[in-house]
Amino acid sequence: MHAALQALLTIAIGVGACVAYFRLSNLVLDHWLLPASGANRARNIRRANLIRPWLFLAPALLVLGLYLAYPVFETLRLSLSERLPGGGDAFVGLANYQRMLSDPKFHEALRNNLLWLVVVPALSTAFGLLAAQLTDRIAWGNLAKSLVFMPMAISFVGAAVIFRLIYDARPPGQEQIGLLNALYLALGGASPKAWLTLPLWNNFLLMVVLVWIQTGFAMVILSAALRAIPQETIEAAIIDGASPLQIFFRVKVPQIFGTIAVVWTTITVVVLKVFDVVYAMTNGEWGTQVLANYMYNKLFRASDWGVGSASAIVIMLLVTPILVWNVVNARREMRR
Amino acid sequence: MTDFAGRRPALGWAVHLAALVLVVAWIVPTAGLLVSSFRTADQIATSGWWRAPLAAEQNLILRAAPPDAQRRHDAGFAIAGNLFAEAGLEPATVLAFGVSSRAIDDHAPGELAELRDGEHLSVAANGDYRHDSPVEMRGTRGQRVFVTVRTPPRFTLDNYRHVLRDADNVEGMSRAFLNTLTVTIPATVIPILVAAFAAYALAWMEFPGRALLIAVVVGLLVVPLQLALVPLLRLHNEIGIGKGYLGVWLAHTGFGMPLAIYLLRNYMAGLPRDIIENARVDGATDYQIFTRLVLPLSFPALASFAIFQFLWTWNDLLVALVFLIDSTGETTVMTKSLVELMGTRGGQWEILATSAFVSIALPLVVFFALQRYLVRGLLAGSVKGG
């Protein structure tokens, strides 16, 4: 219980400190440093208004800088250096990257990650679009949406347990308790398979877990976009005699293309960071390694901080195009 | 809807059917886990969870009572009793029985099975048996009987009792549950306040560099937290935080900050300009406008972010592994316990399924209760340029 008390105390201290900081800093600014009275009144107000935004921003900027911006540069530095036995680091250039490139496990991780990058966003978006289109036109659509969306609340590890049960294999002759093997045998499969150890197949089976989780997200966003399509465009298409499929692919999809791109890239970022699913289900064995888990293994199992940091930089590089695209989009939006 | 669904009944049905298939496919995995958590180890191991509502057929190896229990009667010796009661099992229906491992279902209930030396055994449908012998039986163990039984569907809460309440169960989830809660609550509350002030400044204050800062926040939204692990762990070790709750709270605060600022700023920027301008004209300071006006009006966005952050910190494994859990394992969280259970108790589905369900129960409750805010937050965070 002592940790729980500590948690309550932390909330009190954390919240109290935040409130005190914002309150006091504003008070100091307005009453002592630049009081809005006396001879310099106008000048003081103007100056106070220049400083105040930074009072509001300071704690957040500190946290962002320390926990997100600084580590990017520090990781870059670590990826170019080597830990010395006595402590401290020495610059070694690209040696870590060379070591990483000569590691077959890294190639496996990169290959698998690229496969994940194609399959998971594509399937999640496709299923999400399908689910959005189907649930938008039935009376029990909201319930259906809720249920498809539900896996979003489930942890990757919880989902890993759920799917381990589905992929479970018992020796031939015994009753299968895994749904996949039961179906496989019912459909005429010869003998039960240990699915998670089957090369290549197991990658797809791990991807299923993430698709299962992400489809709800895609559905929610795409459903909102579909509903925002002007009815006139659809009516016009119906009058022109378009078939339902034509309406969907030629009229609706082009109009929500921007949203599809947002969904796709958001899921892509999730995929690049995917760690828990692989860590919990196979830990990268049987040819299922991915970059995030490879990195974790290098950092905390092999204590190889150089190669670990180098692989983190590879993940960062893969994310960068999306980062740039997002920033460009956000700026365009603000100018509107 | 003005489109075709109403005009072509067949297509209307197809839509319902397709939606149903999709929904079923999406809930079946979770249903399997939930059903399994209410079944005994035996039931899970011998039949798929989808058979749980049906009566199960099982093959058991039981024993009649040992020769000490025999009674003498006119024609010889006999042992009688009930197979299930003597084995401590619940009543069940015998479908078939046998006395040899090569023919375990040779006899229908009530039939007489021949044993060696003129002995006979019969088992009734309710498990009552009678073992007859012309001469006194010897030995210390009773006759082995193979039975095929049908047990009625049965569900149990024992797994939950074991996982949550059993004091002897060192792998129990109760401590991990508390630890997870301990991580989650400060990690959800603290970022909100810090982010709200920053979001207000980015939404309603004019200052040079504002657009740049917003762009930076958008950029940081997608920075993989993998990059932060080593530098921050080093930093924590250097400044003496080490591994522990403080470290994990700070880390979650940092990693949640871009989303918090982004969501809250988008929402605040959408508040009506008049209200804020009027308050300014009336002489309210920014601090007053923020605390009395903007913060209460932004409640939906605050709720959205709180739910995101709660789900994310509750479900997190990586940050806890790196910043919290030390070698003593005192501060383990549920996701980590589950991973360990999968390693050590991979075959014990009753424990694994129950533990997993304990860990996903609270997020599911939060999800279903507050889904509205979650959806709103997602839409605010993602539909841009659509």
Side-chain angles (χ1 to χ4, degrees):
Chain A
M1 278 316 279
H2 136 256
L5 281 178
Q6 199 191 336
L8 289 177
L9 201 66
T10 310
I11 296 181
I13 293 175
V15 172
C18 284
V19 172
Y21 161 79
F22 288 116
R23 182 146 246 197
L24 286 178
S25 61
N26 276 281
L27 213 64
V28 167
L29 188 69
D30 288 333
H31 287 262
W32 282 295
L33 283 183
L34 299 162
S37 60
N40 298 326
R41 189 166 169 212
R43 201 194 65 189
N44 278 359
I45 289 181
R46 210 172 49 245
R47 284 195 184 169
N49 282 341
L50 277 181
I51 296 174
R52 199 182 329 274
W54 300 101
L55 289 184
F56 275 58
L57 285 166
L61 289 184
L62 185 73
V63 169
L64 284 180
L66 196 61
Y67 278 83
L68 286 164
Y70 153 75
V72 173
F73 298 103
E74 178 68 3
T75 301
L76 188 60
R77 191 184 69 79
L78 285 175
S79 76
L80 299 172
S81 46
E82 166 186 69
R83 268 205 294 184
L84 297 176
D89 317 288
F91 181 77
V92 291
L94 294 173
N96 290 323
Y97 290 89
Q98 276 161 359
R99 261 194 311 138
M100 183 173 71
L101 285 174
S102 63
D103 181 357
K105 264 291 186 190
F106 171 75
H107 291 278
E108 177 193 318
L110 194 61
R111 216 170 31 238
N112 286 340
N113 244 120
L114 293 178
L115 203 57
W116 280 75
L117 277 182
V118 175
V119 174
V120 176
L123 285 185
S124 306
T125 311
F127 279 124
L129 197 54
L130 181 70
Q133 177 70 8
L134 290 176
T135 53
D136 271 347
R137 57 180 53 209
I138 52 180
W140 51 287
N142 279 338
L143 176 68
K145 274 207 183 74
S146 250
L147 293 173
V148 174
F149 194 27
M150 179 195 68
M152 167 136 195
I154 295 176
S155 62
F156 289 136
V157 178
V161 177
I162 289 174
F163 278 84
R164 273 271 289 257
L165 181 58
I166 291 182
Y167 301 151
D168 191 88
R170 302 264 140 161
Q174 281 187 28
E175 170 113 12
Q176 294 299 319
I177 65 165
L179 193 56
L180 188 59
N181 268 321
L183 280 177
Y184 178 70
L185 293 183
L187 294 176
S191 64
K193 300 232 179 305
W195 297 102
L196 289 176
T197 61
L198 289 182
L200 205 58
W201 281 99
N202 50 11
N203 275 305
F204 289 100
L205 293 173
L206 293 184
M207 290 177 209
V208 166
V209 182
L210 201 57
V211 171
W212 181 70
I213 292 178
Q214 292 294 327
T215 294
F217 161 76
M219 174 196 68
V220 166
I221 310 271
L222 293 171
S223 158
L226 281 176
R227 264 181 278 157
I229 293 178
Q231 274 299 312
E232 305 85 70
T233 58
I234 297 165
E235 278 161 21
I238 293 174
I239 291 168
D240 288 348
S243 74
L245 279 181
Q246 281 176 323
I247 292 177
F248 184 69
F249 285 108
R250 301 261 180 90
V251 180
K252 289 185 172 177
V253 169
Q255 293 195 65
I256 57 166
F257 201 74
T259 311
I260 292 179
V262 169
V263 168
W264 191 293
T265 51
T266 308
I267 297 176
T268 301
V269 173
V270 175
V271 169
L272 278 171
K273 296 192 252 185
V274 69
F275 161 74
D276 315 33
V277 173
V278 176
Y279 178 81
M281 289 187 84
T282 61
N283 197 16
E285 311 255 351
W286 309 297
T288 57
Q289 190 64 290
V290 293
L291 284 174
N293 193 52
Y294 175 82
M295 191 208 105
Y296 184 85
N297 275 344
K298 283 292 167 201
L299 285 182
F300 297 106
R301 295 241 165 82
S303 279
D304 188 342
W305 290 15
V307 171
S309 302
S311 50
I313 293 294
V314 171
I315 300 178
M316 182 69 208
L317 285 178
L318 290 171
V319 172
T320 304
I322 296 174
L323 188 153
V324 172
W325 190 72
N326 278 357
V327 169
V328 168
N329 262 356
R331 300 207 64 151
R332 195 170 51 207
E333 194 130 315
M334 296 222 320
R335 245 175 271 133
R336 245 192 242 157
Chain B
M1 297 288 286
T2 45
D3 50 21
F4 50 87
R7 285 193 286 144
R8 296 193 200 166
L11 206 57
W13 278 109
V15 168
H16 278 280
L17 195 66
L20 190 68
V21 168
L22 194 79
V23 168
V24 167
W26 250 254
I27 54 176
V28 155
T30 321
L33 188 79
L34 181 61
V35 170
S36 296
S37 74
F38 291 110
R39 305 180 82 206
T40 63
D42 232 25
Q43 288 172 319
I44 296 179
T46 52
S47 65
W49 59 267
W50 52 92
R51 291 189 206 273
L54 313 172
E57 258 183 46
Q58 248 180 306
N59 294 318
L60 301 174
I61 305 172
L62 302 171
R63 271 184 195 279
D68 319 348
Q70 63 189 308
R71 294 243 188 89
R72 190 186 186 113
H73 59 88
D74 302 344
F77 295 81
I79 304 174
N82 184 287
L83 286 173
F84 302 122
E86 283 164 20
L89 298 173
E90 302 275 321
T93 312
V94 176
L95 300 175
F97 74 98
V99 289
S100 146
S101 58
R102 271 162 299 161
I104 59 170
D105 52 1
D106 235 14
H107 302 281
E111 277 182 9
L112 213 55
E114 295 269 342
L115 298 167
R116 65 201 134 58
D117 305 330
E119 297 182 17
H120 293 285
L121 179 86
S122 82
V123 179
N126 65 0
D128 285 345
Y129 65 88
R130 187 180 164 92
H131 183 184
D132 281 302
S133 169
V135 295
E136 188 171 357
M137 288 176 266
R138 297 186 186 284
T140 54
R141 308 181 73 184
Q143 169 65 38
R144 207 155 50 135
V145 188
F146 299 87
V147 286
T148 304
V149 296
R150 183 189 295 139
T151 45
R154 232 188 355 254
F155 296 97
T156 171
L157 286 172
D158 283 351
N159 299 332
Y160 285 93
R161 221 165 281 140
H162 179 67
V163 163
L164 287 174
R165 305 277 297 281
D166 192 343
D168 300 332
N169 178 13
V170 288
E171 289 165 344
M173 294 298 268
S174 45
R175 193 179 59 184
F177 190 95
L178 269 185
N179 289 347
T180 308
L181 210 55
T182 308
V183 169
T184 306
I185 295 176
T188 304
V189 174
I190 292 173
I192 293 181
L193 204 59
V194 174
F197 275 93
Y200 175 77
L202 291 175
W204 287 105
M205 290 166 133
E206 294 289 341
F207 60 92
R210 188 173 81 150
L212 182 70
L213 272 184
I214 296 172
V216 168
V217 169
V218 171
L220 290 178
L221 267 177
V222 297
V223 167
L225 68 89
Q226 269 84 4
L227 275 97
L229 302 182
V230 172
L232 290 180
L233 190 59
R234 281 182 132 190
L235 183 78
H236 281 181
N237 284 334
E238 271 164 32
I239 61 178
I241 297 176
K243 280 189 161 196
Y245 285 114
L246 189 56
V248 82
W249 289 327
L250 286 172
H252 275 313
T253 301
F255 300 147
M257 193 58 58
L259 183 69
I261 298 179
Y262 181 70
L263 275 184
L264 295 177
R265 192 210 83 92
N266 276 2
Y267 191 87
M268 288 177 185
L271 293 174
R273 178 167 283 275
D274 298 357
I275 305 181
I276 289 153
E277 297 289 327
N278 283 343
R280 283 223 172 102
V281 171
D282 291 345
T285 64
D286 275 309
Y287 185 78
Q288 286 166 331
I289 294 174
F290 173 72
T291 51
R292 304 219 185 124
L293 209 58
V294 172
L295 208 52
L297 284 176
S298 306
F299 176 77
L302 298 175
S304 300
F305 171 73
I307 298 166
F308 276 118
Q309 182 75 352
F310 168 80
L311 290 179
W312 149 244
T313 49
W314 186 275
N315 290 339
D316 158 75
L317 171 67
L318 184 57
V319 177
L321 277 180
V322 175
F323 294 106
L324 174 65
I325 300 166
D326 52 25
S327 50
T328 64
E330 289 283 315
T331 50
T332 189
V333 292
M334 285 194 291
T335 44
K336 170 69 174 158
S337 303
L338 277 181
V339 171
E340 272 173 13
L341 280 177
M342 270 197 267
T344 58
R345 305 287 194 91
Q348 282 176 295
W349 277 108
E350 74 286 2
I351 298 194
L352 201 48
T354 311
S355 302
F357 209 80
V358 166
S359 86
I360 64 177
L362 191 58
L364 284 182
V365 169
V366 168
F367 172 83
F368 281 114
L370 302 171
Q371 208 183 115
R372 217 155 36 99
Y373 292 107
L374 195 66
V375 169
R376 207 180 293 176
L378 272 186
L379 294 179
S382 300
V383 181
K384 39 190 182 192

